[in-house]
Amino acid sequence: MQLTPPLVLAPLAGYTDLPFRLLCREHGAGLCVSEMVSCHGLVFGQRNTYELMRTVDAERPFGLQLFGADPEAMGRAAALVDTRPVDLIDLNMGCPVRKVVKKGAGVALMKDPERAAAIIRAVCAHTRLPVTVKFRSGWDAGRLNAPEFALMAEECGAAAVVVHGRTWAQGFGGQADWGMIAAVKQAVRIPVIGNGDVQCHADALRMQAETGCDGVMIGRGALGNPWVFSPHDRPATLADRLPTIRRYLALAGEHLEASRLLFRIKNHTVKFLTGLAGASRLRLAINTARTIDEIVTLLEGGCDEEEHPLG
């Protein structure tokens, strides 16, 4: 699989739904990855889990992120994914959320490399798709094992690895250590995708230059900012951002279930306001809106205020 450009939308629970992934693809992302999908949800046929796998031809290539701590269940889930219109399986071994870690999944697997290896081997044995593994630099500052973990993943059949330059202890705070991404690149022969502290297109280019990584995965920096995947910076005014917001609203109306529509639209729309004057007030108004039309009216009103400020 060749990604052009080598920029990837990270899996983000509650955010990387189909409409937002399509929007990022339209802005230049080479690949988008689903919200994380439970292996048990797939094996037991849970409807909400299967909904997370929904895609359309316009999104291809499409990556699906799978998580779990049971090698057998992960293998069975991979076999199910193999029958769907999916182009890549990414294994989540980096999620720091406590409810995931308590079950031995996510970044907890970095403390149990034997189980992690068994999962990678089981998944690779049950799919024809390329398998990537996403993990962190380690558990904490005293246990930085990303290079060794990457080498294990390569030996077990991973086609590429994704490295978030933070430890579990850091969560999403502090600064990502891009030096750890460079160390992983030196340790393996398979492609390495870097992740962490990419807020604009220039940051992505700088990460590649500084670490030698083959691609860049962008997570929180893409929220409300699909422009991060193109050389064009995020517009400075709401009026210039509004066409992209309208495009997201159109995609959401086309691809989201009615029961989820308003909540998801609010979730994303307020992110588009980051850095704008009056964003806090407009964000509050959008969160209390009862219809999509009301949200659009509020956004249009915000544009009018930009053009004709009071005073």
Side-chain angles (χ1 to χ4, degrees):
M1 183 186 298
Q2 298 293 322
L3 302 184
T4 307
L7 302 178
V8 183
L9 174 66
L12 293 169
Y15 287 101
T16 51
D17 51 30
L18 177 56
F20 187 64
R21 298 196 308 264
L22 287 170
L23 186 71
C24 290
R25 287 284 285 146
E26 290 177 1
H27 278 75
L31 173 72
C32 295
V33 184
S34 72
E35 300 175 64
M36 63 181 189
V37 173
S38 163
C39 65
H40 296 293
L42 289 184
V43 170
F44 293 120
Q46 294 176 356
R47 180 177 179 274
N48 288 344
T49 301
Y50 273 83
E51 180 64 22
L52 296 175
M53 298 173 66
R54 195 160 62 86
T55 185
V56 293
D57 287 344
E59 186 181 13
R60 309 291 292 273
F62 167 55
L64 183 136
Q65 191 183 68
L66 199 59
F67 82 98
D70 180 350
E72 181 183 357
M74 289 287 278
R76 291 173 62 191
L80 293 170
V81 173
D82 206 50
T83 67
R84 312 281 292 201
V86 174
D87 301 289
L88 173 149
I89 296 176
D90 182 57
L91 303 184
N92 184 323
M93 297 188 179
C95 178
V97 176
R98 290 189 183 275
K99 66 180 181 181
V100 174
V101 172
K102 281 176 64 176
K103 295 180 179 179
V107 73
L109 289 164
M110 294 197 74
K111 296 196 298 180
D112 191 354
E114 289 185 6
R115 179 178 292 271
I119 288 171
I120 297 168
R121 286 194 296 264
V123 169
C124 290
H126 285 83
T127 182
R128 299 163 296 169
L129 301 173
V131 175
T132 61
V133 184
K134 187 174 190 292
F135 51 91
R136 289 183 166 237
S137 42
W139 184 255
D140 55 30
R143 285 173 283 187
L144 300 174
N145 62 331
E148 297 84 358
F149 201 83
L151 186 58
M152 174 275 293
E154 179 180 42
E155 292 172 347
C156 291
V161 292
V162 185
V163 190
H164 184 158
R166 285 183 173 85
T167 63
W168 169 83
Q170 284 180 280
F172 293 103
Q175 187 173 2
D177 180 4
W178 288 6
M180 188 57 68
I181 298 170
V184 170
K185 178 61 182 172
Q186 291 296 315
V188 297
R189 292 168 295 179
I190 56 177
V192 174
I193 299 170
N195 177 224
D197 290 350
V198 175
Q199 301 296 327
C200 63
H201 191 263
D203 286 344
L205 297 180
R206 185 166 59 87
M207 176 184 278
Q208 284 193 283
E210 292 184 10
T211 70
C213 66
D214 303 281
V216 176
M217 179 175 278
I218 306 169
R220 291 172 299 153
L223 296 180
N225 185 24
W227 299 276
V228 73
F229 295 105
S230 73
H232 308 291
D233 290 333
R234 177 162 45 188
T237 67
L238 178 57
D240 287 334
R241 296 181 192 183
L242 190 56
T244 296
I245 300 174
R246 286 186 178 278
R247 177 58 179 158
Y248 172 73
L249 295 177
L251 289 167
E254 182 179 353
H255 296 293
L256 287 184
E257 293 183 4
S259 61
R260 300 183 179 186
L261 192 56
L262 189 59
F263 170 77
R264 284 292 180 123
I265 280 178
K266 288 180 180 181
N267 220 21
H268 275 290
T269 302
V270 295
K271 297 291 186 183
F272 282 101
L273 308 179
T274 298
L276 296 176
S280 296
R281 178 176 52 80
L282 187 52
R283 189 178 293 116
L284 180 62
I286 288 172
N287 280 329
T288 57
R290 291 174 292 182
T291 66
I292 295 171
D293 288 343
E294 188 177 342
I295 291 173
V296 173
T297 299
L298 288 167
L299 293 169
E300 291 174 343
C303 292
D304 290 340
E305 288 181 13
E306 282 183 338
E307 190 174 355
H308 305 289
L310 296 175

